[in-house]
Amino acid sequence: MGYREVYDAWKADPEAFWMEAAQAIDWDQAPSKALFDKGNNLYEWFADAKCNTCWNAVDRHVEGGRADQVAVIYDSPITGRKQQFTYAELKDRVAHLAGALKAKGVEKGDRVVIYMPMVPQAIEAMLACGRLGAVHSVVFGGFAANELAVRIDDAKPKAIIAASCGLEPGRVVKYKPLLDGAIEIAKHKPEFTLILQREEEVAELIDGRDFDWVEAAAAADPADCVPVEGNHPSYILYTSGTTGAPKGVIRHTAGQLVALNWTMKNIYNMNPGEVFWAASDVGWVVGHSYIAYAPLIHGNTTIVFEGKPVGTPDAGTFWRVISEYDVKSFFTAPTAFRAVKREDPKGEFVKKYDLSGLRVVYLAGERADPDTIVWAQDQLGVPVIDHWWQTETGWSIAANPVGIEMLDVKLGSPSVPMPGYDVQVLGDDGHPLPAGELGAIAIKLPLPPGTLPNLWQAEDRFQKSYLNTFPGYYETGDAGMIDEDGYLYIMARTDDVINVAGHRLSTGGMEEVLAHHPDVAECAVIGVTDQLKGQLPVGFLCLNAGCNRPHEEVVAEVVKMVREKIGPVAAFKLAIVVDRLPKTRSGKILRGTMVSIADGTEWKMPATIDDPAILEEIAEALQTIGYAK
């Protein structure tokens, strides 16, 4: 069956389609049906089943003949360390860690925050939570204390699992002081922490609250897998909210198992036993779905890579890893390829490695620009496929389903909707638009298994953020079009979330920080196009009347504030002082127009603008920092 037949079979009978996909999962109690309609546009999948994530990702492979297959490869060009763990070893390590958590009172339904770098223990921590039916919430290692505290207060974890430090090229990022600071700020206090001491930085442990990971795991009895309901949350993953308060995306256990397992063959064309590599981080959704869970559920080998595309040690590090471990399917962000291309435009490093085992490369995390795709195809000689999904969906909305049928690649398009997703482009009135017309991209409800059923303890916000704009649809927040062949094109975000090196960051969150500065009267942050990172934030500051300090002093202070409050991940380095901001008569800042001016793209005068002269002032200000050429 080709893509069209598979997609049509899903559409004709979604229930049968997903019940068949569910047969690949081990159930303690099989589901009686696939879809449960809760009313009020809320849906759950396989809700009455009983199952366990860790069992499906680890134990069943040990029992099913994969005990000696490598499950996890750790490769750290930063430290020079390499390790491999078989499924049997992984089971042993995870069971002991789960035992240590259990001995300290962690049980089904408790939350555990995980604050870790890219080490295999990060995956072990996730699996150990799954083993007990505890709900994990991974926070990107090195996130600022304030951001971590917000997440602690929302998830209210019984425990926090952290490492003493993370490693960046040339520097050690101490996690423990950030963690201590976050616990101090947070109203909710965890009962205990488990700390993985890394030799690069041994942290001070607080007696009675902080425990050594290795000692605790060694002293514990191994814990068994606890069966949980199909609709039991597997994890909470916080994503940028436009209001500054993060949104806790939840993932239900059964739907995640069924959907992710289905994607490994059908989208990524992987056979059990082969090596799959997603070069991402466990702090992001790709790290959850395609480093920790999908490869292991499907019986593949997954790679945990602690390094960067360039500089650890050079622009050939990706190719070395692919060659050394015979990676079949490689997944990264366009940003990473842009960095490699910048350092090695002619692909000299590519030629040094044997990449004959590589079948296909996948890009996601932001729009893949055609230049980058063409460069990668030319260098690697394999299909380079853009696919599109979100933290909220957990897996591809649109992709090229290589395991079903390799479709023609159209540059600039992530190809076609996957089974489970009825994707429509809607006008402002909520009616579908004809092919080729730009509109809001929405997905007809219900969303498929493995997608968010709700937000963590925030149903009103879930309805408001995703369901209210277009009744009967999930609003993706992206704008785009569908062509006459059914290929989807993602053109822009419909709100002001910008994408810095694959990390979705809310400009609203940055504006909140800038507005906090005593000399700043008003501000705006926009994302400008950047060759390397996709987008970079630029701040515009209107200073209080009577503030006669040098502008560069204020700029330096706000840059430092964003770094402290949001973290280095925001890459916030540019801000300019302006007299006023362009607005509509109703007072909305015209951010989209400012972006067009900064990027030097065509724009038209907004009909609702209050004072057109301001746009000229904005252009002149941008020219002082090298934009609006």
Side-chain angles (χ1 to χ4, degrees):
M1 280 211 309
Y3 159 73
R4 187 36 67 192
E5 289 83 11
V6 173
Y7 189 82
D8 288 347
W10 158 70
K11 222 168 179 180
D13 194 345
E15 182 73 23
F17 183 92
W18 290 116
M19 283 301 272
E20 187 184 344
Q23 290 172 13
I25 298 304
D26 274 12
W27 303 102
D28 294 85
Q29 181 184 312
S32 69
K33 60 177 185 167
L35 184 68
F36 290 74
D37 183 344
K38 314 284 289 178
N40 205 17
N41 284 322
L42 299 178
Y43 298 89
E44 293 176 350
W45 291 92
F46 314 111
D48 67 354
K50 289 270 177 69
C51 55
N52 181 279
T53 301
C54 186
W55 173 272
N56 277 282
V58 184
D59 300 52
R60 69 168 174 158
H61 301 308
V62 175
E63 309 228 329
R66 295 190 182 279
D68 299 330
Q69 181 194 312
V70 174
V72 179
I73 293 169
Y74 169 54
D75 188 299
S76 171
I78 293 183
T79 63
R81 285 192 203 110
K82 296 177 185 180
Q83 279 174 292
Q84 300 194 3
F85 304 95
T86 63
Y87 272 101
E89 289 166 332
L90 181 62
K91 178 187 168 183
D92 191 52
R93 292 169 68 94
V94 170
H96 277 94
L97 178 60
L101 294 171
K102 186 179 173 182
K104 296 197 184 305
V106 174
E107 50 192 42
K108 179 186 161 190
D110 287 336
R111 273 81 59 212
V112 176
V113 163
I114 299 173
Y115 187 62
M116 297 282 287
M118 281 300 287
V119 292
Q121 289 89 345
I123 288 186
E124 290 166 15
M126 295 162 81
L127 290 165
C129 291
R131 198 170 185 84
L132 299 174
V135 182
H136 67 67
S137 185
V138 181
V139 177
F140 186 69
F143 237 41
N146 178 60
E147 290 285 332
L148 178 55
V150 169
R151 288 153 175 77
I152 291 171
D153 279 337
D154 195 71
K156 301 187 169 45
K158 185 173 273 188
I160 298 179
I161 302 178
S164 57
C165 67
L167 304 170
E168 294 285 329
R171 69 188 184 106
V172 173
V173 182
K174 298 179 181 182
Y175 286 5
K176 188 59 169 44
L178 293 167
L179 174 63
D180 291 344
I183 292 174
E184 199 172 310
I185 302 166
K187 294 183 188 69
H188 173 88
K189 310 293 179 193
E191 288 177 20
F192 69 96
T193 76
L194 274 190
I195 306 294
L196 177 71
Q197 296 281 21
R198 304 190 72 187
E199 57 192 59
E200 289 77 12
E201 164 69 21
V202 177
E204 291 275 318
L205 299 187
I206 296 171
D207 208 36
R209 186 196 79 185
D210 302 335
F211 297 89
D212 181 279
W213 172 314
V214 177
E215 289 171 10
D221 293 326
D224 287 331
C225 294
V226 175
V228 300
E229 298 76 17
N231 60 359
H232 181 73
S234 163
Y235 65 77
I236 304 166
L237 180 56
Y238 289 97
T239 182
S240 298
T242 38
T243 57
K247 295 186 284 205
V249 168
I250 55 177
R251 198 80 67 217
H252 280 174
T253 302
Q256 167 174 264
L257 287 168
V258 173
L260 291 183
N261 182 73
W262 184 89
T263 64
M264 285 304 287
K265 178 63 192 165
N266 292 287
I267 296 176
Y268 300 103
N269 197 25
M270 293 298 291
N271 302 307
E274 295 176 336
V275 181
F276 181 83
W277 180 24
S280 180
D281 188 286
V282 287
W284 310 107
V285 71
V286 175
H288 286 62
S289 292
Y290 292 103
I291 300 175
Y293 289 122
L296 296 177
I297 293 163
H298 194 245
N300 290 103
T301 299
T302 188
I303 297 180
V304 176
F305 173 75
E306 188 181 33
K308 295 272 184 270
V310 295
T312 61
D314 53 40
T317 191
F318 276 178
W319 321 133
R320 172 189 67 79
V321 172
I322 290 167
S323 163
E324 195 168 319
Y325 304 114
D326 193 20
V327 172
K328 297 295 179 201
S329 194
F330 175 52
F331 181 148
T332 189
T335 301
F337 272 10
R338 283 196 283 267
V340 173
K341 177 182 163 196
R342 191 173 172 181
E343 295 272 313
D344 184 23
K346 295 199 167 61
E348 300 302 332
F349 280 106
V350 182
K351 300 179 182 73
K352 296 182 182 178
Y353 298 97
D354 174 10
L355 303 179
S356 58
L358 183 66
R359 292 194 290 249
V360 66
V361 170
Y362 291 85
L363 299 177
E366 64 203 301
R367 193 161 172 267
D369 53 294
D371 293 359
T372 300
I373 292 183
V374 170
W375 177 84
Q377 280 175 344
D378 291 348
Q379 298 302 333
L380 301 172
V382 299
V384 176
I385 289 176
D386 184 17
H387 62 323
W388 171 61
W389 47 294
Q390 304 179 320
T391 301
E392 289 85 350
T393 66
W395 61 282
S396 304
I397 301 168
N400 195 324
V402 182
I404 299 173
E405 174 190 15
M406 176 82 187
L407 302 173
D408 291 342
V409 170
K410 293 194 184 191
L411 288 177
S413 168
S415 299
V416 293
M418 289 298 92
Y421 295 99
D422 182 348
V423 180
Q424 310 267 345
V425 175
L426 305 178
D428 291 343
D429 61 359
H431 292 305
L433 293 170
E437 275 194 41
L438 187 65
I441 300 174
I443 302 163
K444 213 165 184 326
L445 295 174
L447 293 180
T451 56
L452 85 167
N454 212 324
L455 291 174
W456 175 250
Q457 299 191 332
E459 191 187 306
D460 286 352
R461 193 170 177 201
F462 175 65
Q463 298 275 359
K464 193 163 148 264
S465 299
Y466 302 105
L467 307 181
N468 288 357
T469 309
F470 303 114
Y473 289 89
Y474 163 87
E475 180 188 9
T476 66
D478 280 300
M481 61 167 205
I482 295 173
D483 72 10
E484 58 289 344
D485 298 328
Y487 277 62
L488 189 63
Y489 291 78
I490 314 297
M491 311 311 283
R493 284 296 291 168
T494 45
D495 61 6
D496 294 299
V497 173
I498 64 167
N499 210 310
V500 180
H503 304 326
R504 258 174 72 187
L505 296 162
S506 165
T507 51
M510 293 183 216
E511 288 172 0
E512 283 181 13
V513 177
L514 302 186
H516 214 66
H517 189 285
D519 295 324
V520 173
E522 193 176 27
C523 63
V525 175
I526 61 167
V528 297
T529 301
D530 178 76
Q531 279 330 122
L532 188 61
K533 291 186 184 276
Q535 283 179 298
L536 279 179
V538 171
F540 295 81
L541 312 173
C542 300
L543 301 185
N544 289 318
C547 167
N548 49 16
R549 298 178 53 205
H551 291 172
E552 51 276 3
E553 254 180 56
V554 179
V555 167
E557 285 163 10
V558 298
V559 167
K560 185 163 175 278
M561 285 166 67
V562 172
R563 197 179 172 84
E564 282 168 4
K565 280 274 191 266
I566 293 171
V569 68
F572 186 89
K573 300 185 181 78
L574 294 174
I576 34 180
V577 175
V578 292
D579 283 335
R580 51 207 186 136
L581 295 169
K583 291 182 185 170
T584 62
R585 289 191 198 85
S586 63
K588 283 199 180 75
I589 297 170
L590 293 161
R591 292 186 186 80
T593 310
M594 292 164 78
V595 170
S596 299
I597 292 171
D599 289 347
T601 55
E602 228 174 84
W603 56 277
K604 25 180 232 280
M605 185 65 68
T608 54
I609 191 163
D610 196 10
D611 180 356
I614 301 178
L615 293 175
E616 194 53 47
E617 299 165 19
I618 294 293
E620 285 166 17
L622 280 161
Q623 282 159 2
T624 65
I625 56 167
Y627 289 92
K629 294 191 190 55

